[in-house]
């Protein structure tokens, strides 16, 4: 097993042979377990699970020289490091669909979901849910004998409630591998049910320019798309980031944006190249402050990796990727942000539609929002499409609360065709200019 001293020793011994071919090369190993529990609105729960492990010889800046092998034996690891190209489909035999690799968590999660469904049965609403767990152990061994380890684990739960009168809502949260207490799950359920009932009287939003207030956590999605992607170093180096073309300051002085991979639902302390991770400032009080680097982009830029080198699996090459991107909290009471907004929209939940870092624009599907009139909440609004411009977002975000929250909107980030679990965060904030598309 990866975490054992014996397994790590064998891994490191194989990596030492890399010095004969390329002293910059390293050996990446991944052991991963995934479990997904689906609870459809009208049927019984379904549990899907899989396990896989594999190794990859990596050469920074030379992806064509990289090679990998699924479920290798110790002898195969040595051959892989010595330059052999081995069969790459061994993971198919190693997949264990139907197995229960996290047995102590799955039964408790199933019981919790059934309890929530029973509580929902007293109303005219129906509950659907998806609960995903993962456990990943990573080992990176260099040709010099150095070894780095990391353990990543977490889960995220999505509740979807629909009512007989057409109301729908979605509530998401991220957790560790432990099933949260009944009270916390009940709060999620009550929130989802309340918002579904509110949506029954939702009105159609008027298209055009709008002022937005984003609920705690929601603004992290905007930060991820309009700032994070624009400051991934490979995007910058190929000239595809509009954000880096603007002169400082690029944002209002109240805005500080960071990425800290150690935080959030799928955090890491060591990246997939063996570099220790830590917080990286992207925008500091309105001014550009940094980029997200892996070893290759850092070498090209004449700097050091920031510990953001990640891959979707051992089958893929590394790229600089976001970990947990968030807007730092301000000092305002979140109620003051609402009270100071004469007219606009409060966005409670939204999903990414599309983003273009070169153009500096992104589109979002808003599926839960309310009108704002006179600093107070009005009617719920039907789902709509929202367009945001990076320059307008950064320059017109003028009110920032102190209630920083993470992972209220959850999804996978796909970059270079590789999906990766990421985290986002933000406090309550107000954006001066956004465009509603009917």
């Amino acid at each position: 097993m990866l975490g054992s001293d014996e397994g790590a020793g064998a891994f490191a011994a194989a990596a030492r042979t890399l010095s004969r071919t390329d002293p910059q090369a390293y050996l990446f190993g991944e052991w991963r377990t995934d479990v997904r529990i689906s609870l459809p609105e009208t049927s019984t729960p379904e549990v899907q699970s899989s396990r896989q492990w594999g190794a990859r010889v990596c050469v920074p800046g030379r992806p064509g020289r990289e090679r990998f092998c699924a479920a290798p034996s110790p002898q195969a690891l040595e051959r892989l490091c010595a330059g052999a190209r081995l069969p790459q489909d061994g993971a198919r035999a190693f997949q264990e669909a139907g197995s229960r690799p996290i047995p102590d968590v799955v039964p408790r999660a199933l019981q919790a979901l059934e309890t929530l469904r029973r509580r929902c049965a007293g109303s005219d609403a129906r509950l659907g849910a998806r609960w995903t767990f993962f456990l990943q152990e990573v080992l990176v061994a260099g040709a010099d004998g150095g070894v780095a380890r990391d353990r990543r684990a977490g889960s995220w739960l999505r509740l979807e409630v629909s009512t007989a009168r057409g109301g729908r809502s979605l509530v998401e949260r991220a957790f560790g591998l432990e099933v949260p207490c009944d009270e916390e799950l009940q709060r999620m359920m009550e929130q989802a049910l309340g918002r579904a009932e509110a949506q029954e009287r939702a009105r159609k939003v008027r298209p055009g320019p709008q002022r937005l207030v984003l609920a705690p956590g929601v603004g992290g999605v905007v930060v991820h798309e309009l700032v994070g992607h624009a400051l991934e170093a490979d995007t910058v180096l190929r000239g595809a980031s509009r954000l880096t073309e603007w002169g400082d300051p690029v944002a209002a002085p109240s805005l500080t944006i960071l990425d800290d991979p150690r935080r959030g639902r799928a955090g890491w302390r060591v990246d997939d190249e063996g570099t220790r991770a830590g917080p990286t400032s992207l925008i500091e009080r309105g001014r550009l402050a940094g980029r997200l680097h892996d070893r290759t982009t850092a070498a090209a830029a004449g700097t050091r990796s920031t510990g953001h080198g990640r891959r979707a699996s051992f089958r893929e090459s590394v790229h600089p990727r976001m970990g947990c991107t968030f807007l730092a909290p301000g000092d305002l009471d979140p109620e003051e942000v609402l009270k100071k907004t004469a007219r606009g929209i409060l966005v409670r939940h939204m999903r990414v539609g599309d983003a273009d870092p070169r153009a500096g624009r992104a589109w979002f599907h808003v599926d839960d929002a309310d009108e704002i009139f006179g600093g107070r909440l009005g009617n719920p609004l039907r789902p709509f499409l929202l367009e945001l411009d990076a320059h307008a977002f950064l320059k017109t975000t003028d009110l920032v609360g102190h209630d920083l929250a993470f992972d209220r909107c959850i999804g996978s980030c796909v970059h270079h065709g590789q999906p990766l679990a990421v985290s986002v965060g933000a406090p309550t904030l107000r954006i001066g200019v956004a465009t509603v598309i009917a």
Side-chain angles (χ1 to χ4, degrees), residues 33-55:
T33 297
D34 290 277
V35 178
R36 174 177 290 185
I37 304 173
S38 299
L39 183 69
E41 287 186 351
T42 58
S43 61
T44 58
E46 301 174 357
V47 179
Q48 296 177 313
S49 62
S50 65
R51 293 194 302 164
Q52 66 174 356
W53 79 275

Side-chain angles (χ1 to χ4, degrees), residues 98-111:
S99 67
R100 295 172 66 164
I102 314 181
D104 58 333
V105 173
V106 173
R108 294 201 304 273
L110 285 168
Q111 183 178 8

Side-chain angles (χ1 to χ4, degrees), residues 20 37 41 44 70 73 85 117 160 196 256 267 293 347 396 405:
R20 304 169 192 164
I37 304 173
E41 287 186 351
T44 58
S73 64
R85 291 190 176 273
R117 173 176 273 181
E160 298 182 67
T256 292
H293 283 285
V347 177
T396 69

